[in-house]
């Protein structure tokens, strides 16, 4: 019961924050809402018993990438007083709505198709739980060459 409750809390935080990213008029506030989205997604990973992925989510995305976005947004002059940044045309607005609606419909269709095909999408608790220690042993013994090539890339 507590897992379902924490799932609903963190998913609610993520969804509301993602909507605030979209609807926020100030770009700095929008980026800060994006940090909240990343923290909510990290909470979902903690709920799935994946603490390594959750911490990487916070450190890499919320700690580095989003903060970089924040610095870039703060460097540019975003004052739009007297300037029209976007043009509002009937054709372009209609195309935006058409493509956004089509994409949203496609995503919803895929979600319902997968749920009908596989039943409820619930994580398998009987699967082996991977810890950072075991993952690091595998990476640095069996896949060390691939790890180094990835580092070069």
């Amino acid at each position: 019961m507590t897992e379902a409750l924490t799932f609903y809390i963190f998913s609610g935080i993520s969804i509301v924050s993602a909507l605030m990213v979209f609807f926020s008029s100030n770009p700095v506030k929008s980026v800060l809402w994006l940090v909240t989205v990343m923290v909510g997604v990290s909470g979902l990973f903690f709920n799935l018993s994946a603490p390594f992925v959750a911490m990487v989510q916070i450190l890499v995305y919320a700690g580095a990438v989003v903060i970089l976005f924040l610095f870039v947004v703060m460097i540019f002059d975003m004052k739009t007083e007297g300037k029209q940044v976007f043009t509002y045309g009937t054709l372009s607005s209609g195309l935006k709505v058409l493509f956004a609606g089509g994409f949203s419909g496609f995503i919803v269709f895929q979600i319902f198709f997968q749920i009908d095909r596989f039943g409820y999408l619930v994580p398998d608790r009987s699967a082996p739980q991977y810890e950072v220690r075991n993952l690091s042993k595998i990476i640095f013994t069996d896949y060390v060459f691939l790890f180094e090539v990835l580092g070069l890339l």
Side-chain angles (χ1 to χ4, degrees):
M1 180 66 183
T2 59
E3 290 178 358
L5 182 66
T6 56
F7 169 77
Y8 288 126
I9 289 171
F10 283 122
S11 62
I13 288 170
S14 299
I15 290 171
V16 169
S17 300
L19 288 173
M20 290 304 295
V21 167
F22 184 71
F23 289 119
S24 181
S25 61
N26 188 352
V28 175
K29 288 181 183 178
S30 180
V31 171
L32 292 175
W33 279 113
L34 188 61
V35 171
T36 310
V37 171
M38 296 301 167
V39 170
V41 171
S42 175
L44 290 172
F45 282 125
F46 269 119
N47 195 26
L48 289 172
S49 300
F52 178 71
V53 178
M55 290 310 297
V56 166
Q57 179 80 22
I58 288 178
L59 290 174
V60 172
Y61 290 111
V65 174
V66 175
I67 300 303
L68 180 68
F69 287 166
L70 182 65
F71 286 148
V72 168
V73 165
M74 291 174 71
I75 285 173
F76 289 118
D77 185 19
M78 298 304 259
K79 294 178 183 170
T80 59
E81 298 167 320
K83 293 187 275 183
Q84 181 95 16
V85 177
F86 298 107
T87 60
Y88 300 104
T90 56
L91 180 65
S92 66
S93 296
L95 287 175
K96 290 175 194 174
V97 169
L98 179 72
F99 284 122
F103 184 70
S104 300
F106 176 73
I107 295 293
V108 169
F109 173 76
Q110 288 297 321
I111 289 172
F112 284 126
F113 176 72
Q114 295 298 330
I115 289 175
D116 286 342
R117 187 172 168 196
F118 297 113
Y120 290 107
L121 298 176
V122 179
D124 186 13
R125 295 291 178 190
S126 64
Q129 298 298 319
Y130 297 106
E131 295 181 357
V132 178
R133 181 181 310 127
N134 298 337
L135 288 175
S136 61
K137 259 186 220 177
I138 292 171
I139 287 174
F140 291 120
T141 55
D142 297 338
Y143 299 106
V144 69
F145 178 72
L146 297 174
F147 183 73
E148 293 297 327
V149 169
L150 183 65
L152 288 175
L153 289 177

